[in-house]
Amino acid sequence: MCRLFTPHQLVTCSMKGATTTMGSPRPSLPTAERNAIIDVIAKTFDKPLVDVEEKMRGCLRRLR
């Protein structure tokens, strides 16, 4: 993910731009790049898209 997105995007954005617990929404990661990396990972490791999205969401949280 670090090669597709800038460090600033990884720290300040959410996966899909949802609201946070504080109520202020974070901007979403660029849709085209986000979907491309999810598709590649899902196909490479034969995993459902939902599982890959959950893992990516968890990785973004750990970076904050």
Side-chain angles (χ1 to χ4, degrees):
M1 283 195 328
C2 294
R3 293 185 183 190
L4 282 177
F5 307 111
T6 66
H8 179 27
Q9 286 176 320
L10 292 173
V11 173
T12 59
C13 295
S14 69
M15 277 287 289
K16 295 184 178 179
T19 57
T20 63
T21 55
M22 300 300 228
S24 59
R26 292 180 182 267
S28 68
L29 289 172
T31 306
E33 290 89 347
R34 182 188 71 220
N35 290 341
I37 194 169
I38 289 171
D39 288 340
V40 168
I41 292 171
K43 288 176 185 174
T44 301
F45 296 102
D46 195 31
K47 296 287 183 183
L49 294 175
V50 175
D51 290 349
V52 176
E53 284 181 2
E54 282 182 21
K55 296 290 184 183
M56 279 184 65
R57 192 173 292 116
C59 289
L60 284 174
R61 284 188 194 128
R62 285 192 301 269
L63 286 173
R64 291 189 199 117

